[in-house]
Amino acid sequence: MAQSKQALRSRIKSVNSTRKITKAMEMIANAKLFKQRSRMEANREYAQRLQDTVDEIVAHNQDAESKYIRKRSGGNKKATLVFCSDLGLCGGYNSNVMKMARENMKKDEPMILIGTSLFRQMKEAGFNMLNKEPISSDRANFMSIKEQMEKLIDLYTRDEVDHVQLLYTRFVNTMTFRPEFDHLLPAELGEAEDIEKDDMYVETLFEPSASAILDKLIPMMIQNVAYADWMESTTAEQGSRRMAMKTATDNADELSSSLKLEYNKARQAAITQEITEIVGGSSAV
């Protein structure tokens, strides 16, 4: 019985130590989630304004053409930019991205992976990875993501691929995160709506031409979309990690309570046995 109590005390101590770690990681993830979500929401206004500008140019210049808008017939080869995390302990965040890639991406099509946790799995699975070395997601910024997007845009402009897409994790809310594909090229712009030319509307003249401006603006737009999707993915990562650590902390609390109850039962049984032995010895005398 003494050994049983000693083993239970050791397990309780181990569980409580683990709980302290998971609770600390939950608090850190919660702070990072708040910070990253604020950055994500702040970027949305710029991204939306850029999208509105491109849509307005297309709406008022129906004859404008661009190599980034023109759909190609016949080919369906895709190049993909994929986002995952650098660290684990974030629930199903990375496994869901990997599952989505396996089910929807062809292994011979070019791809770039940002994030180190899935680098070995993607490589072993046989995906055609353009980056031969891992690219850190935690150290990524607009310029590094822009650099990777330029590589995929270059493949598109040289007609080596017919589509450019992005695999990221959408931040739905603090409890829901969903891996999705974001189609980037050819650009799918908003419908040309009938914009009322009232007294507030001023016609815009473009120099050299609307088509030339679109050729400059559309790459800017999709680079910003890629950056916005990266921020959404990292926000989802911290949300997923916070949930995973909260679940681990709750499980530790539950296990600790169960072990304490078991320990108290063993302790009570030992005391009862000692009392019984004392009473039995007294009766014998």
Side-chain angles (χ1 to χ4, degrees):
M1 186 64 70
Q3 291 181 354
S4 176
K5 288 194 295 181
Q6 184 176 0
L8 287 171
R9 281 198 300 267
S10 178
R11 287 194 64 191
I12 291 171
K13 184 178 180 180
S14 176
V15 169
N16 288 338
S17 297
T18 302
R19 184 198 179 280
K20 291 179 181 178
I21 296 172
T22 57
K23 184 63 177 179
M25 292 182 69
E26 177 191 347
M27 295 173 65
I28 293 171
N30 193 50
K32 288 184 176 180
L33 171 63
F34 178 79
K35 179 180 179 181
Q36 196 66 20
R37 187 175 183 180
S38 299
R39 292 177 58 195
M40 177 188 71
E41 292 174 347
N43 182 70
R44 282 178 176 169
E45 183 176 355
Y46 170 74
Q48 186 60 50
R49 182 64 62 88
L50 186 57
Q51 175 73 56
D52 292 343
T53 301
V54 175
D55 287 345
E56 183 179 353
I57 295 173
V58 174
H60 290 94
N61 297 270
Q62 296 295 309
D63 57 342
E65 295 183 357
S66 173
K67 56 187 176 183
Y68 300 113
I69 300 176
R70 184 171 57 253
K71 297 186 183 298
R72 300 173 182 178
S73 58
N76 195 37
K77 189 174 182 181
K78 299 176 181 177
T80 310
L81 182 66
V82 181
F83 291 133
C84 69
S85 71
D86 285 349
L87 303 175
L89 298 176
C90 49
Y93 174 81
N94 290 310
S95 59
N96 290 336
V97 171
M98 188 66 186
K99 180 181 178 182
M100 196 78 167
R102 288 182 182 273
E103 293 177 350
N104 298 277
M105 291 169 54
K106 296 180 180 179
K107 294 183 178 180
D108 61 332
E109 294 179 340
M111 63 160 287
I112 295 175
L113 177 66
I114 294 182
T116 61
S117 62
L118 292 180
F119 183 81
R120 179 180 296 179
Q121 293 185 48
M122 289 279 191
K123 194 172 183 179
E124 292 177 351
F127 285 97
N128 181 18
M129 301 177 64
L130 299 183
N131 56 308
K132 303 306 179 183
E133 297 294 332
I135 301 174
S136 173
S137 176
D138 290 345
R139 297 180 182 178
N141 53 37
F142 178 79
M143 294 306 298
S144 62
I145 293 173
K146 177 177 179 290
E147 180 183 352
Q148 302 306 322
M149 276 304 308
E150 286 175 345
K151 296 177 182 178
L152 300 185
I153 293 173
D154 185 56
L155 292 177
Y156 179 83
T157 55
R158 289 191 282 112
D159 295 332
E160 294 186 21
V161 297
D162 304 293
H163 302 274
V164 175
Q165 63 182 4
L166 192 148
L167 175 55
Y168 74 110
T169 302
R170 181 184 175 193
F171 180 83
V172 180
N173 52 51
T174 55
M175 302 289 289
T176 307
F177 324 101
R178 187 165 53 240
E180 291 183 357
F181 282 97
D182 195 353
H183 181 85
L184 301 178
L185 288 175
E188 296 179 349
L189 305 176
E191 295 293 332
E193 300 176 352
D194 295 328
I195 301 177
E196 296 181 1
K197 295 184 178 181
D198 53 16
D199 295 338
M200 298 297 294
Y201 174 75
V202 178
E203 183 177 359
T204 304
L205 301 178
F206 300 101
E207 180 65 31
S209 66
S211 297
I213 292 176
L214 286 175
D215 283 343
K216 294 293 185 181
L217 274 181
I218 292 177
M220 289 175 55
M221 181 182 71
I222 62 176
Q223 288 161 5
N224 190 264
V225 168
Y227 179 65
D229 287 349
W230 169 76
M231 286 199 293
E232 193 156 349
S233 289
T234 53
T235 304
E237 175 194 345
Q238 298 304 331
S240 183
R241 181 170 288 110
R242 182 189 66 83
M243 284 185 59
M245 292 301 99
K246 184 179 187 306
T247 301
T249 301
D250 293 343
N251 289 340
D253 287 336
E254 184 178 346
L255 181 57
S256 179
S257 297
S258 177
L259 289 173
K260 285 178 181 178
L261 179 61
E262 194 173 340
Y263 173 79
N264 289 333
K265 287 181 179 179
R267 180 171 174 270
Q268 186 63 44
I271 294 173
T272 303
Q273 183 178 355
E274 290 177 2
I275 293 175
T276 302
E277 291 175 352
I278 294 172
V279 172
S282 300
S283 300
V285 173

